[in-house]
Amino acid sequence: MLKKYINTFMIALLIVLSTGCDGWLDMRPINGVVKQDYWKTKEQVRASMFGAYASMTGNFRGRHVTESMFLWGELRAYMVGLNQGANFDDTQIIFGNIQPVNSISSWAGLYGTINLCNLVVDYAALALETDQTFTEEEMKNYVAEARALRALMYFYLVRTFGDVPLVIDAVDTDEDELAPAKSTKEEVLAQILEDLSLAEIDIYEGHGNDIASKGRMTRYAVNALQADVHLWMENYQLALQAADKVLAGPYGLVPQEEWARALFIEGNSVESIFEIQYQAPQNNPFFQMFSFDQGRRFIAYPSVLEDIYGFNPEEPEDIDLRSIDASLKTSGEIFKYTSLGPNTRRAATESFANWIVYRLADVMLMKAEALTQLNRGAEALEIVEIIRERGGAAMSTEENPGSADGDAILRYILNERAREFAFEGKRWFDLLRVAKMRNYSNLDLLISVAIQNAPVTNLNSIINQLRDTRSHYLPINNFELNSNPNLVQNEYYLR
């Protein structure tokens, strides 16, 4: 469904973005002729919306958006280590030498997607005037999809950089602002919630078939994102309400024996809520990052098998079924996105596994986390047990916190999330979300993870860095600072 319109989108993208002048974030203005001539049919609106989705699957503005999602969500969490093919920027992040020149701090790809969403939000309604077959309901759905996808991009940005420029209007003329200053984290989060609230009203529950409904934003994807945002903001009752909306939807946990194949090899499973779609011959970036045959950038730390999954070679029968031959190999090879089976790997030309943004197990554990903060620990533990049973968790990782011990249950949930979502770009955000609760009452979580796995040569400096909460956000890349005189570097990196 999505793939069908990629060629149409590329033509549309060239028309819409080829005029005007270069500026901050490469926001090329739409001149009057293009604006009037382009937004005339529902096909053009659809192509533009699909173009926003397509922009996440390639280097439309630098690296793949999915690669940034992985790097931002994993490298500082110390479940992922350096392999032989790691580049200089990878090394510097893991060693705590994070500088504004590091290309991993580039946000260009996400803002490229945001720009395309802004166009749909601002101009989709113009096609109603000239295309009698285009209904207002269809138009509102496309606008809602654009708002939801924009909210997702900003949620990644605000968790990674803190204060960021908030650009929600399409650029119309050369006189429009091309160099906005940063908005506060609070302002960005408020806009995210506003976009999601508006999107929820008009967005469809599904899009005609499974692939389209998993590969495009739906009402349930909006609710999953709402739950995530509310957890981040410590709005636990609202997080619970949003999670329950998803749990009432058409989703189910895939069976234990199908966990790896259904989720990561075939994709678009009954458990999936939103996936960034890759289809042959369009390859994802993961083969280059994880394959031991080529690329070899990253490897799982040895402690992942032992401390996260509870693997003991002397008791091989007590094994988490999500670990060896599913998420990773005993060698440390990250296997989740390069596997075609327990002993079969994708070739470079077959690397088109989807990137899963949200799935049902994620929302279930979000609900459990909210329940712990609402003094409903027994219900939270029931959810954890469901996830553990489905995943075939090892008995050695079972914990038995009291139903009234909210902090212990919270950490149990965090440990289970590490097992269920290993290498899915969630670990750093999970740790940071819980660490910063109640004015950083759980900062020790970040410290303990670093003590366990951070490079010994840099351990003291990394620990001192983590104690300064300003360091939890990446620096603004020098390219952006040089392009936009109104940007100010994040405070920690001004030293």
Side-chain angles (χ1 to χ4, degrees):
M1 182 69 175
L2 294 179
K3 201 71 172 178
K4 178 179 177 182
Y5 295 97
I6 294 302
N7 290 337
T8 305
F9 154 68
M10 293 308 296
I11 295 171
L13 185 64
L14 289 173
I15 294 173
V16 173
L17 297 181
S18 62
T19 58
C21 62
D22 289 338
W24 179 80
L25 293 177
D26 201 13
M27 296 178 67
R28 298 182 174 90
I30 306 171
N31 64 32
V33 174
V34 171
K35 177 181 173 181
Q36 293 173 18
D37 289 352
Y38 179 73
W39 300 94
K40 286 184 173 293
T41 69
K42 65 182 179 183
E43 286 78 16
Q44 289 171 327
V45 175
R46 177 169 53 191
S48 298
M49 187 64 246
F50 285 10
Y53 291 116
S55 69
M56 297 187 292
T57 64
N59 55 351
F60 174 54
R61 291 286 188 271
R63 68 176 77 246
H64 286 236
V65 167
T66 50
E67 183 179 356
S68 293
M69 289 175 168
F70 172 82
L71 296 172
W72 295 350
E74 294 291 346
L75 289 196
R76 292 178 288 172
Y78 295 110
M79 283 178 63
V80 171
L82 301 168
N83 204 0
Q84 296 174 355
N87 61 45
F88 180 78
D89 287 346
D90 301 333
T91 303
Q92 293 305 294
I93 295 289
I94 285 181
F95 275 77
N97 299 322
I98 305 173
Q99 300 296 326
V101 295
N102 194 308
S103 67
I104 292 172
S105 70
S106 173
W107 59 30
L110 281 78
Y111 273 108
T113 300
I114 287 169
N115 292 341
L116 296 173
C117 292
N118 289 344
L119 293 169
V120 175
V121 172
D122 283 5
Y123 300 132
L126 294 178
L128 290 174
E129 301 171 9
T130 54
D131 187 344
Q132 299 305 310
T133 68
F134 193 27
T135 68
E136 185 171 1
E137 180 184 353
E138 289 175 305
M139 182 275 293
K140 287 183 175 180
N141 170 73
Y142 285 126
V143 171
E145 284 187 69
R147 287 186 181 277
L149 190 58
R150 180 171 73 184
L152 178 65
M153 296 296 99
Y154 273 120
F155 191 43
Y156 271 92
L157 288 166
V158 76
R159 289 181 297 172
T160 303
F161 297 96
D163 300 346
V164 296
L166 183 59
V167 184
I168 58 172
D169 296 318
V171 177
D172 290 329
T173 70
D174 290 351
E175 286 73 41
D176 282 348
E177 178 61 73
L178 293 179
K182 292 192 292 186
S183 296
T184 65
K185 295 187 290 291
E186 292 75 19
E187 290 170 331
V188 176
L189 288 165
Q191 180 62 50
I192 290 170
L193 290 178
E194 179 181 339
D195 268 341
L196 293 175
S197 179
L198 291 170
E200 186 180 12
I201 297 170
D202 296 318
I203 200 166
Y204 295 161
E205 289 188 3
H207 296 291
N209 61 58
D210 282 345
I211 294 177
S213 295
K214 310 295 185 182
R216 295 168 62 183
M217 296 298 285
T218 62
R219 186 168 300 164
Y220 297 111
V222 167
N223 296 146
L225 180 51
Q226 285 173 324
D228 210 357
V229 175
H230 282 307
L231 274 186
W232 184 264
M233 298 177 69
E234 301 179 42
N235 301 330
Y236 299 113
Q237 186 61 47
L238 292 174
L240 177 61
Q241 292 171 8
D244 277 339
K245 291 178 182 179
V246 179
L247 299 182
Y251 306 103
L253 295 175
V254 302
Q256 181 186 96
E257 63 273 13
E258 297 178 17
W259 186 83
R261 173 163 294 279
L263 290 173
F264 305 105
I265 298 174
E266 296 174 356
N268 298 316
S269 72
V270 67
E271 185 168 329
S272 172
I273 299 167
F274 179 58
E275 301 185 10
I276 297 176
Q277 305 276 321
Y278 287 91
Q279 298 180 42
Q282 185 182 31
N283 285 1
N284 59 38
F286 306 122
F287 188 87
Q288 292 292 331
M289 290 200 288
F290 307 138
S291 172
F292 271 27
D293 297 325
Q294 184 179 334
R296 303 185 180 188
R297 284 173 67 186
F298 302 116
I299 191 170
Y301 274 107
S303 63
V304 171
L305 261 183
E306 299 168 6
D307 297 334
I308 301 295
Y309 287 110
F311 178 68
N312 182 350
E314 296 181 0
E315 298 179 7
E317 70 284 351
D318 184 27
I319 184 173
D320 193 305
L321 298 181
R322 298 164 294 186
S323 60
I324 298 172
D325 296 337
S327 293
L328 73 168
K329 290 289 193 177
T330 55
S331 62
E333 177 185 357
I334 295 172
F335 201 49
K336 204 170 238 184
Y337 286 99
T338 60
S339 167
L340 283 175
N343 299 299
T344 308
R345 294 167 175 80
R346 294 179 186 269
T349 55
E350 299 173 305
S351 187
F352 37 79
N354 294 344
W355 175 258
I356 300 174
V357 180
Y358 288 117
R359 53 188 176 94
L360 185 62
D362 193 357
V363 178
M364 291 175 67
L365 289 174
M366 289 184 203
K367 177 177 180 176
E369 188 171 321
L371 288 169
T372 66
Q373 303 307 301
L374 297 170
N375 300 314
R376 295 166 63 179
E379 295 171 71
L381 287 170
E382 289 176 5
I383 294 173
V384 175
E385 184 55 35
I386 291 171
I387 299 300
R388 285 180 58 79
E389 183 176 355
R390 190 283 297 267
M395 292 181 60
S396 60
T397 61
E398 184 177 3
E399 301 175 34
N400 294 288
S403 60
D405 192 345
D407 187 61
I409 298 172
L410 180 63
R411 293 179 184 234
Y412 190 20
I413 293 169
L414 196 61
N415 291 337
E416 191 56 36
R417 286 185 64 86
R419 289 183 278 273
E420 179 69 27
F421 308 114
F423 320 121
E424 293 184 43
K426 296 184 181 290
R427 183 59 172 165
W428 168 258
F429 298 129
D430 285 348
L431 288 169
L432 183 56
R433 181 184 64 251
V434 175
K436 72 180 188 63
M437 286 173 57
R438 298 183 297 275
N439 195 25
Y440 279 94
S441 63
N442 296 315
L443 184 59
D444 65 291
L445 278 171
L446 297 180
I447 306 299
S448 62
V449 166
I451 289 173
Q452 185 175 27
N453 281 330
V456 175
T457 55
N458 290 50
L459 182 57
N460 288 335
S461 64
I462 290 172
I463 290 174
N464 289 333
Q465 183 181 90
L466 290 172
R467 286 180 175 142
D468 187 333
T469 59
R470 299 172 302 171
S471 77
H472 299 165
Y473 300 100
L474 290 182
I476 308 303
N477 191 271
N478 270 356
F479 177 82
E480 304 295 348
L481 291 171
N482 294 334
S483 301
N484 179 359
N486 294 322
L487 279 181
V488 177
Q489 182 58 270
N490 286 342
E491 186 178 1
Y492 180 81
Y493 304 93
L494 289 172
R495 300 176 300 168

